[in-house]
Amino acid sequence: MIKGCNMDKLDKIFSSFISNNLFKNKSVLQSNYSPEQITHREAQIESVASILAPALRGERVSNLFIYGNTGSGKTLSVRYVRDKILEKLQELGGDYLQFIYVNCKLKKVADTEYRIVAEMIHELKGSIPATGLPTDQVYLKFIEMIDVKKQVIIIILDEIDEAVKKISDRFIYTLTRLNSELKNAQISIIGISNSLTFMDHLDPRVRSSLSEEELVFPSYNALQLQDILRVRAEQAFKEGVLEEGVIEKCAAYAAREHGDARRALDLLRVAGEISEREEGTKIKVEHIDSANQKIEKDKMLDIVEKVPKQFQLVLAAALSLHKNKIEEIFTGDVYNTYQDLCQKTRNEVLTQRRVSDILAEFDMLGLINTRVISKGRQGRTREIKLMLPGPIQDKAEEILQKSLYL
DNA sequence: GTCAATTCACATGAAAGAGACCACGGTCTAGTG
DNA sequence: CTAGACCGTGGTCTCTTTCATGTGAATTGACGA
């Protein structure tokens, strides 16, 4: 019935998209892009390179531990050095050096010791079932694979703090001790972490072996962010698309978030997309603001939607309490409301212990903000504040209703 | 009024269970020569 | 004789429960001024 009009509209959207493309090459702004040149990280790259250089002679290199805030170029720099070394290696015609890159934060990878080792085997082009084998079998297979010849293996564990948090530091210990079981190959580990305090919680033995060398990546300041953005923007956008002050604003926003360059690039990209959708020909300063909001919003709603049902129930309980204008929400209140909700929707009721954990996880995800307070004789509890801004709240409620009632 | 003990309502930890998934090896079956 | 189907065992993973211990300040009640 509205077919005709619909088609016209779609047609318009498509054609405007084609004719009015602000981007020259959008992938430059995506987070997995590796640029030719890395701005403002020369010193760190040199350090990494000089630490890893002995590998080119087939010698084992020191374990290296790198830390710095998110988006300070850690992963980028390490990958850059890796690629350069591999290039050099090819020039020399050697094959006695291999890198294994594992990002411990990716959901399917992290979580367990088993999967991290399995992922390493994957990186080496081996195959291993996703589950079903004893963990030591997996280690055995890994050892078998790398010990076939004399070679240096450099394992890059990105976001290693996540892995240690989930598992324990035992697996790093096992990894460092693997060398004694190897006859031919040698292993070195590069650990990359966002958390500066991560090291403090480690077993001293692990700590000393992992941080034979240490490197800090300082956060970018606003000026450095501007430089980075300029270089990328030039490649990403067509000429004259960026309005005056856009880069500066972008950099300022990101600098506020601990100088997160990834964030800055995201902002710029999303701003471009927004402007494009509005069929504008320029990216204006206002677009950065909208982009900032949109990124937040998308992130949160995404979580609301993807989280398991029990989580959604808990969130719905907290949300309804909040809607009833109850200023101070505590764990007990949420639990009671949650129980009612479960009965209404015929869902299983979990124990308070579990709900407490779920709330803690929401805190981690940033949907709520909790603070453990003691109310004296009224006991100890979490004080819960919802972190969803108004318009997002409505959307979230919509999503929750849909997935809980239907 | 002051001080230490009490007490609440959870937080936080550790361990273990349930149910799903999976690999592996052994056994059975049907098809082939 | 052999390939494939089928089973039992033993392993992991995730979510959850059970049991146990910890905790910070309002409250209480004894005490002394």
Side-chain angles (χ1 to χ4, degrees), chain A residues 12-22 26 276-277:
Chain A
K12 212 171 133 201
I13 291 175
F14 291 150
S15 63
S16 82
F17 191 80
I18 293 163
S19 67
N20 187 27
N21 200 339
L22 303 173
K26 198 194 273 187
E276 202 166 60
R277 212 161 301 147

Side-chain angles (χ1 to χ4, degrees), chain A residues 290-308:
Chain A
S290 339
N292 196 31
Q293 282 168 24
K294 183 175 156 45
I295 289 176
E296 281 299 306
K297 184 178 152 193
D298 285 357
K299 207 167 60 188
M300 286 187 168
L301 290 181
D302 200 51
I303 294 172
V304 174
E305 196 168 3
K306 289 217 177 107
V307 114

